[in-house]
Structures are given as structure tokens and as C-alpha cells.
Amino acid sequence: MSEDSSDLPVGFIVSDDDGDESVGLDDDDDFDEGDVKESRKRASPKKADEAKSPKKSKKTPATEGKKTAVKKPKEKAAPKKELTESEGYDVILKYLNEQNKPFNAQTIFDNLHKEVKKPYVVRILSKLAQEGKIIEKEYGKSKVYFADQNQFPSVSDQELKEMDNEINALTAESSSLQEELTRLRNEVKELSSSLTDEDLEKGIATMTEETKQMKERVEKLKGSETIDPKELESLRTEVTRVQKIWRQRRNQCREMVGNLAEGMDKKDSEVNVSSFLFSEE
């Protein structure tokens, strides 16, 4: 190394005569190796960009072949076609003539299943009444419409009477049939809740066997020796007398055991006495 190298600033690169390069550092200079290690740990810009960019998912052959099923929306029912006012004119007139009974605007609107708009119904009825094709009657705030009766053939009083008689006869027949229907329904209900033929046969066989066993038992009892009623009454009296004496003696024994237990500071059950003295009836 040359002699003038000592005058160079610290850290300046100098060349030896052999051509080797060295860095001039004083022994007293602080050199932090952590700075060098930290610089080595820093990722290159290319690697940092790769880390930030999201990874693309690879499709496997199994997933590539599958397709997501698309549900078809349910087809809605086609809405009913609403009639125009001119079309509703003929429909309402025909309806009133066929039914031949009074209606209001709301009832006609409902009975036609709303095929004609409510405002059209009101205007058409008013127009038909003004033209004399139907009859309009006002009852307070309500208006009732019905077919013009002049367009129908006239009926004599005799024919009306015959119709009334026919109506009465049909009404009576309908009432009779309704009663018959009710009776038959009740009969069917009763038969449905009753036993079947097989169940009845099984029940008859069971009751026959029970009756046979009872008869055999009665015959055995008839053949056995009977007891004199007076003797039976005497035995019952004796049993009653003996039971009374037994109860008295049992109570006396219990009282004695109770006195013993009280003197011994024990319970009655702790006194060593035969258990039959404390048995219940």
C-alpha cells in the first residue's frame, strides 16, 4: 500500500501494488451488520409484484367438463283477455236475457269473471236502459237491471198456474228425495260403525264357549254339599267375635311397645318386637 493512503478519507477504495482492492475502515468506526442483512432480505421489485398479483385458479379436467344448470323460469299463465266496451255491450245484453233475473252492476261484473271492466259495465247498463233493451229500477241508492219482459212470449194465467203447480210438485219431490238421502246416509254411517259378519261370528263363538263353561260350573256347584244357612250364620258370628278380640290384643301390644320405646328414647319400630304386631289389617 502507498504511503499517502493514510491521508485518504475512510471508506475510500485504494489499490495495492499487487492489484488487490481493499476498503479503508478504521477500527473505531461503528459498522452495523444488521443493515447489510436487512438489505439482503428485501425482495426484488419483480418478486414483490408477483406476490401482490392474485393467483389464477387452475381448472381441473373434472371442473371444465361440468356446466352449471340454469333453471328455466316458470311460464306465467296468460292473462285473461279483457273485452272492449263495444264487445262487452253484446255480452252483457245476452247475459241478462239468458238469466232473466235482476242484477246490479257489481254482480254482473263478478259473474262475468271481470272480463269487462267495471266502468264499462256501468256505462253499458246505463246505455242499454236508455235504449229500452233492458229495464232499470232504482231502490234508494242502488240500481237493478233485468231483461225487458216484452221480448218474451206472453203467458196466460192458466199457464202460470200450471207452472206454479209444477214448481210445487218438484219442490215436494226434492224435499222427499233430500229426506231419503239423509236417511240413507245415516244408515250407511251406522253400518260402517257396526261389526262385520266375521267379527260377529267370532263373538258368537266366544260367547258360546263362555256360556258352556258357566253351565259346567253351575252343575258342579249344584252337585256339591250345601251348608245349612243357620250354621253359616253361626260361623260368621264367631269369625266376627274372634276378629274383635284380635284387634283389642293388637292395640294393647302396640301400647306396651310404645311405652318401652319412650323409656328407651327410641322409635316404636326400633324396638325388637315381632313385625306382625305392627302389621296393618
Side-chain angles (χ1 to χ4, degrees):
M1 185 178 293
S2 63
E3 296 177 356
D4 298 331
S5 62
S6 59
D7 297 332
L8 295 175
V10 177
F12 191 84
I13 300 174
V14 295
S15 298
D16 292 336
D17 296 338
D18 298 334
D20 296 334
E21 294 181 355
S22 63
V23 179
L25 292 174
D26 293 338
D27 294 337
D28 296 336
D29 292 340
D30 294 331
F31 181 76
D32 191 357
E33 295 181 358
D35 295 338
V36 178
K37 293 180 180 179
E38 186 68 20
S39 63
R40 291 177 182 175
K41 290 182 181 179
R42 293 175 184 171
S44 62
K46 184 177 180 181
K47 292 182 178 180
D49 294 337
E50 290 178 358
K52 291 180 181 179
S53 60
K55 294 182 179 180
K56 295 182 180 180
S57 59
K58 296 182 180 180
K59 293 184 179 180
T60 60
T63 56
E64 288 179 355
K66 293 182 180 179
K67 294 183 179 179
T68 306
V70 179
K71 293 184 179 180
K72 295 182 179 180
K74 294 182 179 179
E75 296 181 358
K76 296 183 179 179
K80 292 183 179 180
K81 181 182 177 182
E82 292 184 350
L83 302 178
T84 62
E85 187 171 356
S86 59
E87 293 173 341
Y89 182 91
D90 296 331
V91 171
I92 292 175
L93 179 60
K94 181 180 178 182
Y95 179 78
L96 287 173
N97 289 333
E98 288 178 351
Q99 298 297 321
N100 194 20
K101 58 183 180 180
F103 295 101
N104 58 17
Q106 182 64 43
T107 307
I108 294 175
F109 174 69
D110 294 335
N111 292 350
L112 293 178
H113 305 290
K114 303 178 182 180
E115 291 183 359
V116 184
K117 293 182 179 180
K118 179 71 175 296
Y120 293 170
V121 174
V122 175
R123 288 202 295 264
I124 291 170
L125 290 173
S126 179
K127 184 177 180 181
L128 288 171
Q130 291 175 1
E131 294 175 353
K133 294 183 178 180
I134 61 173
I135 306 301
E136 177 186 283
K137 293 288 184 180
E138 292 188 10
Y139 297 94
K141 296 182 180 180
S142 302
K143 292 183 179 181
V144 178
Y145 303 90
F146 54 91
D148 184 9
Q149 302 300 305
N150 295 326
Q151 63 180 318
F152 300 111
S154 59
V155 181
S156 63
D157 294 340
Q158 182 63 27
E159 290 176 340
L160 289 174
K161 188 175 181 180
E162 291 177 357
M163 289 181 183
D164 290 338
N165 294 334
E166 185 179 359
I167 290 172
N168 293 333
L170 292 174
T171 302
E173 184 180 359
S174 176
S175 178
S176 176
L177 291 174
Q178 187 65 34
E179 292 177 359
E180 181 68 13
L181 178 61
T182 303
R183 185 186 66 79
L184 292 174
R185 283 178 176 173
N186 293 335
E187 185 177 351
V188 169
K189 185 178 180 180
E190 184 178 355
L191 291 174
S192 300
S193 60
S194 60
L195 297 175
T196 61
D197 293 344
E198 294 180 358
D199 294 336
L200 290 173
E201 290 176 358
K202 290 180 181 179
I204 291 171
T206 303
M207 295 179 70
T208 302
E209 183 64 24
E210 291 178 356
T211 303
K212 182 180 178 181
Q213 293 176 0
M214 289 180 180
K215 287 182 178 180
E216 292 176 354
R217 185 179 178 185
V218 169
E219 292 297 330
K220 289 181 180 180
L221 292 174
K222 286 182 178 180
S224 60
E225 296 180 359
T226 58
I227 301 175
D228 186 9
K230 292 182 179 180
E231 184 179 357
L232 179 61
E233 184 65 26
S234 176
L235 291 173
R236 287 177 176 173
T237 303
E238 181 65 17
V239 169
T240 303
R241 186 185 68 82
V242 172
Q243 286 180 344
K244 184 177 180 181
I245 295 172
W246 173 77
R247 290 191 184 94
Q248 290 176 353
R249 292 180 179 179
R250 184 192 61 180
N251 294 335
Q252 291 173 358
C253 290
R254 285 182 173 177
E255 184 178 357
M256 180 183 66
V257 172
N259 294 332
L260 291 173
E262 185 178 356
M264 298 169 65
D265 292 334
K266 292 183 178 181
K267 296 181 180 179
D268 294 357
S269 59
E270 294 177 353
V271 178
N272 188 11
V273 181
S274 300
S275 60
F276 75 91
L277 295 175
F278 304 96
S279 61
E280 298 294 335
E281 291 185 12

